[in-house]
Amino acid sequence: MTPNRNADRPRIDAHEKVLGRALYAADQPFPGLLHAMTVPATIAKGRILSIDTATALQVPGVVRVFTHADFSQIRTTPAARGAYGQPGKGYQPMTAPQVRHRGEPVALVVAETLEAVVEGAEAVTVRYAEDPFSARMDDDLASPEPEAVGQLASGDAEAAFAAAVHTIDVEYRHPQQHHNPIELISTTAAFEDGTLRIYEGTQSAAAFAGGLAGMMGMEPQALRGVSPYTGGGFGQKNGVQEQSVLVASAALLLRRPVKLVMPRGQLFHTASYRPQSRHRVRLAADGDGRLLAGIYETVQQNSRYDGFASDHGANPPRMYGYGAWRGSERIVRVDTQTPGHQRAPHEHPASHATECALDELAGALGMDPVALRLANDTQRDPITGKPFSSRHLADCLRRGAARFGWDRWTNQPGALVAGNGDRIGLGVACGSYKAAMTPSVTTLRLSAGGQCRIATSGHEMGQGIRSVIAAELIDVLGVDPDKLDIRIGDTGHAPQHLTAGSWGAGSAAPAARAAALKLREELSQLTGAALSDEPVPVQLARTRRPYLEVSVETVPLGKDRQAIEQLRRGMPVTTGPEYPDFLAFSWIAHFAEVHVEPSTGRVRVRRVVSVADCGRVMNRRTAESQVRGGVVWGIGAALREAAEIDPRFGGVLNNDLAEYVVPVNADIGAIDVDFIDEPDTRLNLSGVKGLGEVAMVGAAAAIVNAVHNATGKRIRHLPIRIEDLL
């Protein structure tokens, strides 16, 4: 069956969420539940000399205070707390008396009530021996020589740059930023049916449970990871958190259910974050605006003890038809917790630097920035020479320009003035994000009464993956959406793959579609005739069978059956963007209009138009929501968000939502979203590519370019603040 265009349907889980019936990890009720709270380290580096727990133990309701002496048996394998199957968060606090970053847990208090556990945690006193430290990549004690971690090249970019007439050489800086999902990070551990179940709002229930089992010396099947809903992950919840194994171990030792909800202020010092980075961009072009060379060098902050790959250079060379390219990546180590993936982890900072640099090149050439991008459109990857599976970026630009009214743009900064005297600026930028996929094991059961139950891999993080699965079942089987039971995020129902990297829809949709097509095929064999256009449950009822059930294993392009075995063992295994015959990306073009008040420098984003090429749109409503959310993130990145690091004590000073400033309703103008909606069936059965990550890529750059168009000032760091424009 050819995939159909999908109707605009409400979220499949909308009523559950509105009515409060969607239970998140910390909502799970258990009799005899104990509450836990960590005691954070007040130094950035050093050793624990003593921990006084006597006063805490006298607080009524306090059951126990755990220290590193209780958890020294926890295993800390290199990839125990990593994401994407890579060594990442290997360091686990509270397994030894050392302190490696400010805010890490040094004690765990467990009590009968939340009030008692908070009072008990505040009563614990710790003495330390402090060591010198660095908390910023520009500090004197940061690693003196950046470590080279990657390089990507095609042709002789240095020679092409040296010979070119039109060149630019600029550096852009990106600050440290934090995720701040509404649902705080939490862990609840409880024994059910002889199994230790771990409820956590996670993006990776299987790898999470398997990692915990390994750290605790247990067999993987002894733990069950459960994440029915996740209230925002954005990459922060794709690994085992610092408190996860502590809570699970406490429950195991006390033989009672234990829950910990990490306070937001502590999360700034224990959870992953987007690291600070520097980006030097050199571009060369001929007189017609054809790109001759791109040279891109980045330096990224990292922790002392773990790895977080720097991958800023992967996307920029694929954006346009560069004649030659050279990119290099380096990292600087400091004394903080390990950074990690945050929505469009490297693609967003990279697009800020390269798309703004491209705008500067357009200015140097006297070209329209849209025309410059169209002049360098390409259907082949400049690095490998392979074609793209689909690329409609030029269509995104043309459609976006028409919807936005780009013909108002002028090369003269400040030429457009609003009726109240505000300077109007128009900006454009583009983005891309890999189209990746994962294996899945799916079980689909359809009853003659129309009830349909599917168990597959995926995590609902608000992005609408349940609605994506529902769309395929409705399209292929004609089922009633009110009779759907979609079971995801639970290792007890199906092997769970990490949901991240915009591969959720590109993996879950083909899995659901393959299962639905197999069910149709088996029903057709059962009836001995081809199925009609009637809903499949109606045709099943005529067979007088109570139900029909099928199981399907889907292996993405470029992988073999071993991928299924890795999935069953809880190991992440992804493909993309490079496949045997092509490369696959989602694409987007953003157009931004800003108004800048001339006397105060206040910037308002009045209007954004975004047009995306994400293959087949699985649910128009959730897709538009994803793009609007990505644009809001771009507004925050461009004008609001930055961690303020205290060099004296190594902490984040603005570690709450009162001072870590994010956009609110008053900051957001009109966001107009459109899609090309062309299925990419070369990539998968459903013709779908990812959308959640690409939605943010380029959004901040479009706003920065618009600010320059309004003011004539080229600000090369984020966020842009009032003092930058006065």
Side-chain angles (χ1 to χ4, degrees):
M1 292 180 64
T2 303
N4 293 315
R5 290 184 182 269
N6 285 299
D8 179 16
R9 297 188 184 96
R11 285 177 178 268
I12 202 71
D13 52 8
H15 284 98
E16 294 295 306
K17 290 183 174 180
V18 170
L19 296 175
R21 294 198 295 250
L23 296 183
Y24 292 75
D27 299 330
Q28 307 298 322
F30 294 102
L33 179 69
L34 294 171
H35 297 265
M37 186 62 64
T38 58
V39 177
T42 57
I43 65 169
K45 189 176 183 180
R47 290 180 60 82
I48 297 170
L49 298 178
S50 66
I51 302 178
D52 185 351
T53 63
T55 305
L57 289 169
Q58 292 175 3
V59 174
V62 169
V63 174
R64 185 163 174 179
V65 180
F66 294 95
T67 70
H68 59 269
D70 299 293
F71 296 143
S72 59
Q73 79 286 354
I74 292 175
R75 302 174 183 177
T76 54
T77 57
R81 295 180 51 238
Y84 300 106
Q86 302 172 354
K89 305 171 185 177
Y91 172 61
Q92 174 58 51
M94 281 188 65
T95 57
Q98 66 185 2
V99 173
R100 306 194 74 165
H101 66 82
R102 185 179 182 86
E104 70 174 71
V106 295
L108 180 75
V109 181
V110 180
E112 298 286 354
T113 65
L114 180 60
E115 294 78 10
V117 80
V118 171
E119 184 179 350
E122 291 175 346
V124 175
T125 57
V126 186
R127 289 195 311 115
Y128 305 96
E130 295 188 57
D131 292 334
F133 68 91
S134 63
R136 303 175 301 181
M137 61 189 293
D138 296 324
D139 290 349
D140 292 340
L141 293 179
S143 55
E145 290 296 327
E147 303 170 30
V149 293
Q151 187 164 321
L152 196 64
S154 176
D156 192 341
E158 295 284 358
F161 184 86
V165 176
H166 302 284
T167 63
I168 62 163
D169 184 345
V170 292
E171 181 177 276
Y172 280 81
R173 300 176 70 95
H174 198 282
Q176 179 175 319
Q177 295 175 330
H178 293 260
H179 303 68
N180 282 303
I182 296 300
E183 181 205 28
L184 297 170
I185 286 174
S186 71
T187 305
T188 302
F191 285 95
E192 296 179 279
D193 302 323
T195 301
L196 183 60
R197 294 194 187 186
I198 312 296
Y199 292 84
E200 186 164 310
T202 179
Q203 300 172 229
S204 185
F208 163 77
L212 278 185
M215 296 173 76
M216 298 169 68
M218 302 170 66
E219 292 297 320
Q221 59 270 23
L223 273 148
R224 179 171 172 178
V226 185
S227 179
Y229 292 92
T230 301
F234 315 115
Q236 190 178 65
K237 298 176 181 176
N238 62 15
V240 180
Q241 305 295 332
E242 287 193 352
Q243 85 287 341
S244 301
V245 71
L246 306 179
V247 174
S249 298
L252 194 63
L253 291 168
L254 297 172
R255 309 303 293 184
R256 288 180 63 180
V258 178
K259 176 172 77 173
L260 184 150
V261 180
M262 189 70 79
R264 190 173 299 277
Q266 292 188 29
L267 288 175
F268 277 77
H269 302 105
T270 60
S272 59
Y273 58 94
R274 195 192 304 278
Q276 184 183 1
S277 55
R278 296 194 300 265
H279 308 254
R280 184 186 179 192
V281 186
R282 286 179 280 170
L283 299 177
D286 63 19
D288 296 324
R290 296 293 303 175
L291 291 168
L292 303 174
I295 304 171
Y296 182 37
E297 299 164 322
T298 70
V299 181
Q300 174 189 285
Q301 174 181 309
N302 215 320
S303 70
R304 296 279 187 191
Y305 50 83
D306 278 335
F308 174 60
S310 179
D311 203 23
H312 295 97
N315 272 33
R318 275 71 191 246
M319 285 299 302
Y320 307 106
Y322 288 95
W325 180 270
R326 182 178 68 78
S328 64
E329 315 260 354
R330 296 182 297 163
I331 60 172
V332 172
R333 296 193 178 274
V334 297
D335 299 298
T336 67
Q337 78 270 30
T338 302
H341 301 88
Q342 182 171 336
R343 195 173 191 176
H346 297 100
E347 294 78 7
H348 154 64
S351 70
H352 163 237
T354 56
E355 288 291 311
C356 289
L358 201 67
D359 210 62
E360 295 200 48
L361 180 63
L365 291 165
M367 284 188 71
D368 181 318
V370 172
L372 177 62
R373 288 167 171 83
L374 289 172
N376 289 282
D377 189 37
T378 178
Q379 292 298 317
R380 287 189 173 271
D381 170 32
I383 301 298
T384 65
K386 291 183 178 182
F388 296 113
S389 62
S390 63
R391 175 180 162 116
H392 302 287
L393 180 58
D395 294 333
C396 292
L397 279 164
R398 294 189 184 98
R399 188 181 299 185
R403 291 176 73 107
F404 182 74
W406 184 254
D407 54 1
R408 296 180 298 146
W409 179 86
T410 172
N411 196 29
Q412 181 182 350
L416 297 177
V417 181
N420 65 353
D422 285 356
R423 301 295 175 88
I424 299 175
L426 309 181
V428 63
C430 297
S432 67
Y433 196 89
K434 64 182 179 182
M437 296 181 292
T438 68
S440 295
V441 176
T442 306
T443 302
L444 176 64
R445 180 181 178 127
L446 180 67
S447 74
Q451 286 76 23
C452 184
R453 185 180 73 204
I454 185 170
T456 190
S457 182
H459 299 75
E460 179 58 70
M461 302 179 290
Q463 83 279 37
I465 199 168
R466 279 188 169 89
S467 299
V468 165
I469 294 168
E472 289 295 58
L473 298 180
I474 293 168
D475 184 35
V476 178
L477 301 177
V479 297
D480 182 348
D482 292 332
K483 294 184 177 181
L484 278 174
D485 179 7
I486 300 172
R487 301 184 176 186
I488 55 177
D490 188 335
T491 58
H493 294 316
Q496 294 299 306
H497 199 284
L498 168 67
T499 303
S502 259
W503 57 65
S507 305
R513 190 172 191 86
L517 289 172
K518 184 176 180 181
L519 192 143
R520 283 184 64 99
E521 179 184 353
E522 292 200 4
L523 181 57
S524 177
Q525 292 175 358
L526 187 66
T527 61
L531 299 187
S532 69
D533 293 334
E534 284 184 295
V536 173
V538 174
Q539 300 179 71
L540 174 61
R542 294 200 189 101
T543 68
R544 301 195 176 184
R545 291 177 62 110
Y547 67 87
L548 191 60
E549 182 173 294
V550 298
S551 292
V552 172
E553 297 175 349
T554 50
V555 178
L557 289 175
K559 295 292 181 181
D560 55 24
R561 286 279 314 160
Q562 186 180 0
I564 297 294
E565 298 309 312
Q566 291 175 296
L567 171 67
R568 292 187 183 277
R569 295 198 302 270
M571 298 173 60
V573 50
T574 62
T575 61
E578 186 171 351
Y579 296 92
D581 299 323
F582 53 75
L583 269 73
F585 289 86
S586 293
W587 314 91
I588 198 164
H590 298 283
F591 294 81
E593 176 181 329
V594 304
H595 289 208
V596 182
E597 207 283 325
S599 61
T600 65
R602 184 192 67 190
V603 180
R604 288 285 186 265
V605 181
R606 294 296 186 190
R607 183 170 175 244
V608 175
V609 171
S610 302
V611 182
D613 167 23
C614 58
R616 177 168 163 242
V617 176
M618 298 304 302
N619 183 295
R620 180 87 188 196
R621 192 168 306 190
T622 57
E624 288 183 359
S625 176
Q626 282 288 288
V627 176
R628 290 193 177 98
V631 170
V632 171
W633 275 63
I635 293 170
L639 304 174
R640 298 288 186 269
E641 297 182 49
E644 303 294 343
I645 309 302
D646 188 336
R648 303 165 301 168
F649 305 111
V652 180
L653 289 167
N654 54 335
N655 63 331
D656 56 42
L657 287 178
E659 294 183 310
Y660 184 89
V661 186
V662 298
V664 297
N665 285 350
D667 298 313
I668 309 303
I671 302 175
D672 182 12
V673 179
D674 197 12
F675 302 98
I676 301 301
D677 201 6
E678 287 290 338
D680 189 343
T681 51
R682 293 183 70 186
L683 185 63
N684 57 54
L685 188 65
S686 298
V688 63
K689 302 188 286 188
L691 180 62
E693 308 258 16
V694 76
M696 184 183 184
V697 185
I703 294 165
V704 172
N705 290 337
V707 170
H708 171 261
N709 185 246
T711 66
K713 294 186 177 181
R714 180 62 69 178
I715 311 302
R716 298 193 179 99
H717 63 258
L718 294 183
I720 296 175
R721 290 181 164 143
I722 285 175
E723 56 266 31
D724 295 320
L725 301 176
L726 293 179

